[in-house]
Amino acid sequence: MKFTKMHGTGNDYVYVNLFEETLENQAGVAVKISDRHFGIGSDGLICIAPSEVADCRMIMYNADGSEGAMCGNGIRCVAKYVYEHGIAVKDTLAIETKSGVKRLELTVQDGEVTYVKVNMGQAVLKPADIPVNAGGEDFIARPVTVAGKEYLATCVSMGNPHCVVFMNNIGKLDLEKTGPAFECHALFPDRINTEFVEVIDRRTIAMRVWERGSGETISCGTGTCAAMVAAVLNGYCDRGEEIEVRVRGGVLYNTYLENGEVLMKGPATEVFQGEIEV
């Protein structure tokens, strides 16, 4: 199997071009190649496949083999690959995902894609649609008890479910203990991605993320969107303003538009190409 290793602010995936490759048992391959000791090492596998409704289709698997609906860092790398490998050489791309077709704007310098802006679509706030086992029209700053401790949680779906918690000193958080307790909490029927967010100022937030199926990652694109939306909903940041979201792997720039849609802008980087027996 020929592959390309890429990352978006350190959120790294192995990419396989299904325009040229045939790949059986994709979930099993994801587990094998994601292992950082015995495989290539990654947060998962992303397949770039033909689409009947867009320039290409993104098929995404987490490191444990579970299929994800959307990955914000991953889709930026798909856009870079599609442009630079001649699949669709356009400044504006449409990419099909399990959470719908996403529109992307590419910044290109000397034939290389340096930044990608993604319209991530509507931020979903209704608990039943996230999903969260709770009633009401939204889940904003509600108390949740996890592993014996109470948190104020805000839940958002960006095509995948997120729970956002605001706190100070996120660097001291024992995420290996706290993350799994959130991920597998009975409140979240499909498990949950959890962002622990520290507000720096009205234009800047920082976060750490525990991704369902992958553990702590140094970046999560949809997670930065959910965190930014939650910051606006909780009054920490302003709607319509571009918010700098700092993750361990770098910086993304996100905006919560008045119409409920979310824009995410960030880099995409190719690390290396290779071939492996699967």
Side-chain angles (χ1 to χ4, degrees):
M1 177 187 83
K2 293 181 180 179
F3 69 87
T4 302
K5 178 75 178 290
M6 306 180 77
H7 77 85
T9 55
N11 193 189
D12 61 334
Y13 287 86
V14 171
Y15 293 78
V16 177
N17 181 356
L18 297 189
F19 284 84
E20 299 177 353
E21 299 279 325
T22 299
L23 186 60
E24 305 293 336
N25 187 22
Q26 295 174 5
V29 171
V31 174
K32 178 179 178 180
I33 57 93
S34 295
D35 191 293
R36 296 190 184 275
H37 298 288
F38 299 102
I40 299 168
S42 67
D43 291 325
L45 169 71
I46 292 180
C47 297
I48 303 171
S51 168
E52 295 181 356
V53 296
D55 293 302
C56 70
R57 180 163 65 103
M58 181 178 87
I59 310 168
M60 173 230 170
Y61 296 91
N62 296 307
D64 66 353
S66 60
E67 187 174 357
M70 179 56 188
C71 174
N73 287 317
I75 199 170
R76 293 201 315 279
C77 291
V78 170
K80 178 181 177 70
Y81 186 100
V82 164
Y83 185 97
E84 294 183 1
H85 290 257
I87 294 173
V89 184
K90 300 188 293 185
D91 292 343
T92 302
L93 293 173
I95 297 177
E96 180 186 359
T97 75
K98 280 192 73 175
S99 62
V101 175
K102 306 301 181 185
R103 307 290 172 180
L104 301 91
E105 297 177 13
L106 284 58
T107 299
V108 182
Q109 296 179 343
D110 299 323
E112 180 181 348
V113 177
T114 54
Y115 268 82
V116 180
K117 180 185 287 187
V118 189
N119 186 324
M120 300 289 286
Q122 293 279 334
V124 176
L125 304 180
K126 190 172 183 178
D129 297 332
I130 293 174
V132 179
N133 289 326
E137 291 302 309
D138 57 43
F139 198 102
I140 301 172
R142 292 202 204 180
V144 175
T145 301
V146 179
K149 183 177 179 179
E150 186 173 275
Y151 301 84
L152 290 180
T154 298
C155 295
V156 181
S157 173
M158 291 304 311
N160 54 3
H162 293 270
C163 175
V164 181
V165 176
F166 293 93
M167 60 174 56
N168 296 319
N169 300 316
I170 57 174
K172 297 181 179 179
L173 177 67
D174 185 356
L175 198 51
E176 291 293 327
K177 177 181 178 182
T178 308
F182 270 90
E183 178 181 355
C184 300
H185 195 282
L187 193 62
F188 310 117
D190 291 344
R191 297 185 295 162
I192 201 80
N193 304 287
T194 310
E195 288 74 37
F196 300 90
V197 180
E198 188 167 351
V199 178
I200 309 300
D201 56 43
R202 297 200 68 82
R203 298 290 295 271
T204 315
I205 60 177
M207 70 173 231
R208 292 175 66 188
V209 57
W210 182 269
E211 290 197 62
R212 58 177 183 173
S214 292
E216 182 175 14
T217 59
I218 63 175
S219 182
C220 173
T222 57
T224 65
C225 294
M228 181 271 305
V229 168
V232 171
L233 294 174
N234 281 273
Y236 297 120
C237 298
D238 298 314
R239 199 154 178 162
E241 296 288 340
E242 186 173 80
I243 308 301
E244 177 179 308
V245 187
R246 300 174 183 174
V247 294
R248 291 174 60 201
V251 177
L252 294 172
Y253 300 91
N254 301 342
T255 308
Y256 190 20
L257 301 177
E258 293 293 341
N259 65 3
E261 293 181 343
V262 176
L263 303 179
M264 177 189 66
K265 183 178 73 176
T269 304
E270 181 174 319
V271 184
F272 63 89
Q273 299 179 26
E275 193 167 343
I276 189 172
E277 288 289 335
V278 294

PDB file of all heavy atoms in Angstrom, residues 76 107 115-118 242 251-254 263-267:
ATOM      1  N   ARG A  76      -8.373  19.363   5.791  1.00  0.00           N
ATOM      2  CA  ARG A  76      -7.452  20.340   5.211  1.00  0.00           C
ATOM      3  C   ARG A  76      -6.312  19.626   4.478  1.00  0.00           C
ATOM      4  O   ARG A  76      -5.883  20.046   3.409  1.00  0.00           O
ATOM      5  CB  ARG A  76      -6.888  21.266   6.293  1.00  0.00           C
ATOM      6  CG  ARG A  76      -7.922  22.184   6.932  1.00  0.00           C
ATOM      7  CD  ARG A  76      -7.272  23.397   7.593  1.00  0.00           C
ATOM      8  NE  ARG A  76      -6.104  23.065   8.389  1.00  0.00           N
ATOM      9  CZ  ARG A  76      -6.139  22.595   9.640  1.00  0.00           C
ATOM     10  NH1 ARG A  76      -7.304  22.398  10.238  1.00  0.00           N
ATOM     11  NH2 ARG A  76      -5.029  22.335  10.294  1.00  0.00           N
ATOM     12  N   THR A 107      -5.227  28.453   0.018  1.00  0.00           N
ATOM     13  CA  THR A 107      -4.198  29.462  -0.214  1.00  0.00           C
ATOM     14  C   THR A 107      -2.996  28.747  -0.817  1.00  0.00           C
ATOM     15  O   THR A 107      -2.432  27.840  -0.198  1.00  0.00           O
ATOM     16  CB  THR A 107      -3.784  30.154   1.094  1.00  0.00           C
ATOM     17  OG1 THR A 107      -4.934  30.803   1.662  1.00  0.00           O
ATOM     18  CG2 THR A 107      -2.704  31.186   0.839  1.00  0.00           C
ATOM     19  N   TYR A 115      -2.304  27.170   3.372  1.00  0.00           N
ATOM     20  CA  TYR A 115      -3.421  27.299   4.321  1.00  0.00           C
ATOM     21  C   TYR A 115      -4.710  26.866   3.633  1.00  0.00           C
ATOM     22  O   TYR A 115      -4.865  26.999   2.420  1.00  0.00           O
ATOM     23  CB  TYR A 115      -3.576  28.748   4.809  1.00  0.00           C
ATOM     24  CG  TYR A 115      -2.819  29.054   6.074  1.00  0.00           C
ATOM     25  CD1 TYR A 115      -1.465  29.363   6.039  1.00  0.00           C
ATOM     26  CD2 TYR A 115      -3.447  29.016   7.317  1.00  0.00           C
ATOM     27  CE1 TYR A 115      -0.757  29.644   7.194  1.00  0.00           C
ATOM     28  CE2 TYR A 115      -2.760  29.292   8.483  1.00  0.00           C
ATOM     29  CZ  TYR A 115      -1.408  29.605   8.418  1.00  0.00           C
ATOM     30  OH  TYR A 115      -0.726  29.863   9.578  1.00  0.00           O
ATOM     31  N   VAL A 116      -5.610  26.335   4.441  1.00  0.00           N
ATOM     32  CA  VAL A 116      -6.924  25.935   3.931  1.00  0.00           C
ATOM     33  C   VAL A 116      -7.988  26.460   4.888  1.00  0.00           C
ATOM     34  O   VAL A 116      -7.890  26.284   6.118  1.00  0.00           O
ATOM     35  CB  VAL A 116      -7.044  24.396   3.812  1.00  0.00           C
ATOM     36  CG1 VAL A 116      -8.433  24.029   3.283  1.00  0.00           C
ATOM     37  CG2 VAL A 116      -5.952  23.838   2.900  1.00  0.00           C
ATOM     38  N   LYS A 117      -9.014  27.111   4.319  1.00  0.00           N
ATOM     39  CA  LYS A 117     -10.174  27.541   5.113  1.00  0.00           C
ATOM     40  C   LYS A 117     -11.345  26.624   4.774  1.00  0.00           C
ATOM     41  O   LYS A 117     -11.666  26.402   3.609  1.00  0.00           O
ATOM     42  CB  LYS A 117     -10.543  28.996   4.813  1.00  0.00           C
ATOM     43  CG  LYS A 117     -11.742  29.498   5.615  1.00  0.00           C
ATOM     44  CD  LYS A 117     -12.153  30.897   5.202  1.00  0.00           C
ATOM     45  CE  LYS A 117     -11.167  31.919   5.701  1.00  0.00           C
ATOM     46  NZ  LYS A 117     -11.654  33.311   5.447  1.00  0.00           N
ATOM     47  N   VAL A 118     -11.971  26.087   5.808  1.00  0.00           N
ATOM     48  CA  VAL A 118     -13.068  25.138   5.633  1.00  0.00           C
ATOM     49  C   VAL A 118     -14.350  25.725   6.197  1.00  0.00           C
ATOM     50  O   VAL A 118     -14.362  26.219   7.330  1.00  0.00           O
ATOM     51  CB  VAL A 118     -12.789  23.801   6.362  1.00  0.00           C
ATOM     52  CG1 VAL A 118     -13.830  22.756   5.976  1.00  0.00           C
ATOM     53  CG2 VAL A 118     -11.383  23.297   6.081  1.00  0.00           C
ATOM     54  N   GLU A 242     -12.896  36.493  14.256  1.00  0.00           N
ATOM     55  CA  GLU A 242     -11.965  35.371  14.099  1.00  0.00           C
ATOM     56  C   GLU A 242     -11.241  35.153  15.423  1.00  0.00           C
ATOM     57  O   GLU A 242     -10.599  36.063  15.948  1.00  0.00           O
ATOM     58  CB  GLU A 242     -10.966  35.664  12.985  1.00  0.00           C
ATOM     59  CG  GLU A 242     -10.072  34.470  12.668  1.00  0.00           C
ATOM     60  CD  GLU A 242      -9.187  34.703  11.458  1.00  0.00           C
ATOM     61  OE1 GLU A 242      -8.148  35.381  11.612  1.00  0.00           O
ATOM     62  OE2 GLU A 242      -9.541  34.211  10.351  1.00  0.00           O
ATOM     63  N   VAL A 251      -1.703  26.536  15.916  1.00  0.00           N
ATOM     64  CA  VAL A 251      -2.779  27.525  16.047  1.00  0.00           C
ATOM     65  C   VAL A 251      -3.743  27.392  14.877  1.00  0.00           C
ATOM     66  O   VAL A 251      -3.322  27.248  13.725  1.00  0.00           O
ATOM     67  CB  VAL A 251      -2.208  28.963  16.089  1.00  0.00           C
ATOM     68  CG1 VAL A 251      -3.337  29.983  16.153  1.00  0.00           C
ATOM     69  CG2 VAL A 251      -1.271  29.134  17.279  1.00  0.00           C
ATOM     70  N   LEU A 252      -5.052  27.449  15.181  1.00  0.00           N
ATOM     71  CA  LEU A 252      -6.085  27.526  14.162  1.00  0.00           C
ATOM     72  C   LEU A 252      -6.873  28.811  14.379  1.00  0.00           C
ATOM     73  O   LEU A 252      -6.891  29.370  15.491  1.00  0.00           O
ATOM     74  CB  LEU A 252      -7.006  26.303  14.231  1.00  0.00           C
ATOM     75  CG  LEU A 252      -6.349  24.960  13.894  1.00  0.00           C
ATOM     76  CD1 LEU A 252      -7.299  23.812  14.177  1.00  0.00           C
ATOM     77  CD2 LEU A 252      -5.904  24.930  12.448  1.00  0.00           C
ATOM     78  N   TYR A 253      -7.555  29.266  13.311  1.00  0.00           N
ATOM     79  CA  TYR A 253      -8.302  30.524  13.368  1.00  0.00           C
ATOM     80  C   TYR A 253      -9.743  30.241  12.953  1.00  0.00           C
ATOM     81  O   TYR A 253     -10.011  29.919  11.798  1.00  0.00           O
ATOM     82  CB  TYR A 253      -7.654  31.560  12.450  1.00  0.00           C
ATOM     83  CG  TYR A 253      -6.225  31.860  12.837  1.00  0.00           C
ATOM     84  CD1 TYR A 253      -5.169  31.138  12.269  1.00  0.00           C
ATOM     85  CD2 TYR A 253      -5.926  32.833  13.782  1.00  0.00           C
ATOM     86  CE1 TYR A 253      -3.858  31.395  12.633  1.00  0.00           C
ATOM     87  CE2 TYR A 253      -4.619  33.096  14.150  1.00  0.00           C
ATOM     88  CZ  TYR A 253      -3.587  32.372  13.578  1.00  0.00           C
ATOM     89  OH  TYR A 253      -2.290  32.618  13.951  1.00  0.00           O
ATOM     90  N   ASN A 254     -10.648  30.371  13.904  1.00  0.00           N
ATOM     91  CA  ASN A 254     -12.035  29.966  13.686  1.00  0.00           C
ATOM     92  C   ASN A 254     -13.003  31.117  13.910  1.00  0.00           C
ATOM     93  O   ASN A 254     -12.759  32.005  14.730  1.00  0.00           O
ATOM     94  CB  ASN A 254     -12.403  28.811  14.627  1.00  0.00           C
ATOM     95  CG  ASN A 254     -11.520  27.587  14.426  1.00  0.00           C
ATOM     96  OD1 ASN A 254     -10.856  27.446  13.409  1.00  0.00           O
ATOM     97  ND2 ASN A 254     -11.510  26.693  15.403  1.00  0.00           N
ATOM     98  N   LEU A 263     -16.400  28.699  10.386  1.00  0.00           N
ATOM     99  CA  LEU A 263     -15.251  28.689   9.496  1.00  0.00           C
ATOM    100  C   LEU A 263     -14.010  28.308  10.291  1.00  0.00           C
ATOM    101  O   LEU A 263     -13.832  28.764  11.423  1.00  0.00           O
ATOM    102  CB  LEU A 263     -15.030  30.055   8.847  1.00  0.00           C
ATOM    103  CG  LEU A 263     -16.195  30.646   8.052  1.00  0.00           C
ATOM    104  CD1 LEU A 263     -15.792  32.010   7.501  1.00  0.00           C
ATOM    105  CD2 LEU A 263     -16.618  29.711   6.927  1.00  0.00           C
ATOM    106  N   MET A 264     -13.162  27.481   9.683  1.00  0.00           N
ATOM    107  CA  MET A 264     -11.902  27.092  10.316  1.00  0.00           C
ATOM    108  C   MET A 264     -10.771  27.273   9.315  1.00  0.00           C
ATOM    109  O   MET A 264     -10.860  26.803   8.186  1.00  0.00           O
ATOM    110  CB  MET A 264     -11.942  25.622  10.754  1.00  0.00           C
ATOM    111  CG  MET A 264     -10.630  25.131  11.349  1.00  0.00           C
ATOM    112  SD  MET A 264     -10.624  23.340  11.622  1.00  0.00           S
ATOM    113  CE  MET A 264     -10.707  22.773   9.923  1.00  0.00           C
ATOM    114  N   LYS A 265      -9.709  27.966   9.728  1.00  0.00           N
ATOM    115  CA  LYS A 265      -8.555  28.193   8.859  1.00  0.00           C
ATOM    116  C   LYS A 265      -7.292  27.693   9.540  1.00  0.00           C
ATOM    117  O   LYS A 265      -7.056  27.968  10.729  1.00  0.00           O
ATOM    118  CB  LYS A 265      -8.402  29.679   8.538  1.00  0.00           C
ATOM    119  CG  LYS A 265      -7.272  29.999   7.572  1.00  0.00           C
ATOM    120  CD  LYS A 265      -7.215  31.473   7.256  1.00  0.00           C
ATOM    121  CE  LYS A 265      -6.676  32.280   8.414  1.00  0.00           C
ATOM    122  NZ  LYS A 265      -6.527  33.719   8.098  1.00  0.00           N
ATOM    123  N   GLY A 266      -6.484  26.938   8.775  1.00  0.00           N
ATOM    124  CA  GLY A 266      -5.251  26.443   9.358  1.00  0.00           C
ATOM    125  C   GLY A 266      -4.343  25.824   8.314  1.00  0.00           C
ATOM    126  O   GLY A 266      -4.705  25.695   7.144  1.00  0.00           O
ATOM    127  N   PRO A 267      -3.134  25.428   8.733  1.00  0.00           N
ATOM    128  CA  PRO A 267      -2.153  24.858   7.817  1.00  0.00           C
ATOM    129  C   PRO A 267      -2.396  23.378   7.556  1.00  0.00           C
ATOM    130  O   PRO A 267      -3.160  22.712   8.263  1.00  0.00           O
ATOM    131  CB  PRO A 267      -0.834  25.063   8.558  1.00  0.00           C
ATOM    132  CG  PRO A 267      -1.232  24.955  10.011  1.00  0.00           C
ATOM    133  CD  PRO A 267      -2.601  25.574  10.093  1.00  0.00           C
TER     134      PRO A 267
END
